[in-house]
Amino acid sequence: MTQSPVQSPTDLPVADFRSLMARFPTGVAVVTTTGDDGSPRGMTVSSVCSVTLSPPTLLVCLRGGSPTLDAILDRSAFTVNFLHGRAQTVAELFASGAPDRFDLIPWEMPPDAGGPHLHEDAHSMADCRVSRTELVGDHVVVFGEVFAVAERHEHAPLVYGLRQYHSWPGR
């Protein structure tokens, strides 16, 4: 069998990769934590993946240099808030970087949680302790060992694909 040469990643235009990934629908989450002063931090992510059941571990990919990533690395804990289908505005808000985003939505900080819970906009929350990080390009992959799970709503999940938000069908 003859294989054609593999292109180096630097040869692939960013627009081509972005177009490819836009065609892969994924769930939407807001990753939260708190800063040194106790103030909430958070950002929208679509790169969330389960890694292993034992120990229960997931990963999130966060933009390097973001205040949320810095706080997660300092605190070594975070919460993944899996957004429900009625929370598109929350996904957009936390993607915007607006400094007052936590003033615009309800949230709570349960004792011993990894970060703020967006209890009205998330169907499920996973509290995590950082177990490992890996720098990849301009992002950091953060592995989190899940130590608590909360489920709040029966609403269908929010998904993102083809650069559009949708609610999971059937609910």
Side-chain angles (χ1 to χ4, degrees):
M1 179 184 333
T2 306
Q3 291 184 331
S4 57
V6 176
Q7 285 184 324
S8 121
T10 56
D11 294 339
L12 183 68
V14 170
D16 289 354
F17 186 66
R18 183 172 284 149
S19 177
L20 170 72
M21 295 314 298
R23 295 178 182 280
F24 184 68
T26 184
V28 182
V30 172
V31 174
T32 58
T33 192
T34 55
D36 288 340
D37 60 356
S39 63
R41 305 272 193 275
M43 64 189 292
T44 299
V45 299
S46 58
S47 296
V48 178
C49 179
S50 64
V51 177
T52 179
L53 292 174
S54 183
T57 303
L58 55 75
L59 65 78
V60 294
C61 300
L62 305 174
R63 179 179 41 81
S66 78
T68 300
L69 172 63
D70 293 343
I72 286 171
L73 297 178
D74 287 345
R75 188 158 178 258
S76 292
F78 61 97
T79 295
V80 180
N81 293 272
F82 295 92
L83 299 183
H84 61 63
R86 298 178 185 170
Q88 177 179 339
T89 57
V90 173
E92 292 168 341
L93 175 65
F94 278 82
S96 75
D100 63 343
R101 56 191 168 253
F102 281 95
D103 295 334
L104 302 174
I105 62 153
W107 59 277
E108 63 188 14
M109 186 68 185
D112 302 321
H117 286 195
L118 309 183
H119 60 281
E120 289 190 14
D121 299 297
H123 62 78
S124 302
M125 283 107 2
D127 291 303
C128 306
R129 287 185 198 88
V130 174
S131 61
R132 176 180 168 206
T133 62
E134 184 76 31
L135 177 63
V136 180
D138 61 358
H139 277 62
V140 175
V141 180
V142 179
F143 293 82
E145 189 170 324
V146 180
F147 64 86
V149 172
E151 294 180 353
R152 291 290 188 139
H153 296 282
E154 293 299 318
H155 299 307
L158 182 64
V159 294
Y160 186 76
L162 297 173
R163 297 186 178 96
Q164 297 177 355
Y165 291 97
H166 297 279
S167 183
W168 188 265
R171 280 206 175 179

